[in-house]
Amino acid sequence: MDLDEVGSVGGFFALRTGEPGDGHMPLARLYAGDTAPLTARVDTVAARLRTPERRVAASVAHLGFAARLWSVALGCAALHSELPDLDPARLHWDPSLTAPDDLCLTAVRTVPATAEVVREAVQYSHLVPLADALTADTRISRQLLWGNAGSALAGAVRELRAWARRGGRTEVAERTSALAAGLFAHPDLSGTVEGPAMRRRTCCLYYRCPSGGLCGDCVFDRPPRHRSAQ
């Protein structure tokens, strides 16, 4: 598997391998209850966005994390029909870093990639326990989190299709579409986006940030009016 080629799709698709840095931790530890790094990540996002609403920062942090996981997995599956083993015990994360340096896989072992294999690797092994950890830290709707997961998956699909179109890689575009169809068939993801543009059906709350607006796939046509948090 050529991880450099996968990373050429975009920064979110890149996956570092080898020895993790001092700030990295295995995601299995976070999912087992050591959520301090996740709390720190939400705090960092809140400070960057200058939002007093913790659920807004939690949602934006979650959306970025989900996008990283889907992009890495879907990119490998679409380009090479293989998937690296993203076991949370081997996949390390540094909450202080951003893509492509935030994730590091200590050992690369590949398996043939189908939609079900990708679902197991990302949705079940990471997004479900990540949602548990995040809702324990912050009051945030699980429906919103699944909307984020669907939006993040749709974003990865769009990036891969655009990359394939630019390079004339029709087989990559076809595999991407087939994988996406299988992944979006799951009840937790079905209906999170709609139409050819894959526009999301829930809001990530970014518009509530002082300098926020609408995302490109936002369910809203214009920002709703809201009262400032006290």
Side-chain angles (χ1 to χ4, degrees), residues 66-89:
R68 280 291 278 135
L69 294 166
W70 282 129
S71 297
V72 166
L74 196 64
C76 292
L79 268 67
H80 298 291
S81 298
E82 290 184 318
L83 188 70
D85 183 355
L86 300 177
D87 187 323

Side-chain angles (χ1 to χ4, degrees), residues 70-145:
W70 282 129
S71 297
V72 166
L74 196 64
C76 292
L79 268 67
H80 298 291
S81 298
E82 290 184 318
L83 188 70
D85 183 355
L86 300 177
D87 187 323
R90 296 186 181 90
L91 187 61
H92 289 61
W93 175 60
D94 187 332
S96 68
L97 300 178
T98 57
D101 300 314
D102 54 340
L103 294 179
C104 181
L105 188 64
T106 56
V108 179
R109 299 187 303 186
T110 61
V111 294
T114 64
E116 284 306 311
V117 169
V118 175
R119 184 189 316 286
E120 180 66 37
V122 177
Q123 185 174 339
Y124 295 154
S125 295
H126 289 279
L127 295 182
V128 170
L130 176 62
D132 291 340
L134 201 56
T135 54
D137 174 88
T138 307
R139 288 189 60 185
I140 188 168
S141 163
R142 286 183 181 265
Q143 182 180 6
L144 184 154
L145 296 180

Side-chain angles (χ1 to χ4, degrees):
M1 180 183 297
D2 187 348
L3 290 177
D4 288 337
E5 183 185 31
V6 177
S8 73
V9 179
F12 271 38
F13 291 80
L15 179 62
R16 304 285 193 241
T17 60
E19 189 68 23
D22 292 340
H24 285 83
M25 65 175 289
L27 282 164
R29 201 171 81 198
L30 184 152
Y31 302 153
D34 183 3
T35 58
L38 183 62
T39 298
R41 179 62 182 168
V42 174
D43 290 342
T44 297
V45 172
R48 288 176 181 170
L49 298 178
R50 297 186 293 109
T51 177
E53 295 185 84
R54 188 165 182 78
R55 68 187 181 116
V56 174
S59 174
V60 173
H62 174 267
L63 181 58
F65 205 168
R68 280 291 278 135
L69 294 166
W70 282 129
S71 297
V72 166
L74 196 64
C76 292
L79 268 67
H80 298 291
S81 298
E82 290 184 318
L83 188 70
D85 183 355
L86 300 177
D87 187 323
R90 296 186 181 90
L91 187 61
H92 289 61
W93 175 60
D94 187 332
S96 68
L97 300 178
T98 57
D101 300 314
D102 54 340
L103 294 179
C104 181
L105 188 64
T106 56
V108 179
R109 299 187 303 186
T110 61
V111 294
T114 64
E116 284 306 311
V117 169
V118 175
R119 184 189 316 286
E120 180 66 37
V122 177
Q123 185 174 339
Y124 295 154
S125 295
H126 289 279
L127 295 182
V128 170
L130 176 62
D132 291 340
L134 201 56
T135 54
D137 174 88
T138 307
R139 288 189 60 185
I140 188 168
S141 163
R142 286 183 181 265
Q143 182 180 6
L144 184 154
L145 296 180
W146 282 118
N148 282 353
S151 175
L153 174 56
V157 169
R158 282 191 291 268
E159 287 295 311
L160 279 164
R161 285 175 176 168
W163 183 89
R165 188 166 54 249
R166 290 192 301 270
R169 299 286 299 274
T170 56
E171 80 285 1
V172 171
E174 290 170 358
R175 281 198 294 267
T176 298
S177 296
L179 289 163
L183 291 166
F184 276 117
H186 190 277
D188 286 334
L189 294 171
S190 177
T192 55
V193 300
E194 61 183 356
M198 295 184 288
R199 185 173 180 177
R200 68 180 294 163
R201 299 183 65 184
T202 58
C203 179
C204 72
L205 306 178
Y206 176 67
Y207 79 92
R208 297 180 69 89
C209 300
S211 59
L214 298 184
C215 302
D217 65 343
C218 188
V219 65
F220 297 122
D221 293 318
R222 60 181 61 87
R225 297 181 62 183
H226 66 281
R227 295 179 180 177
S228 299
Q230 300 298 318

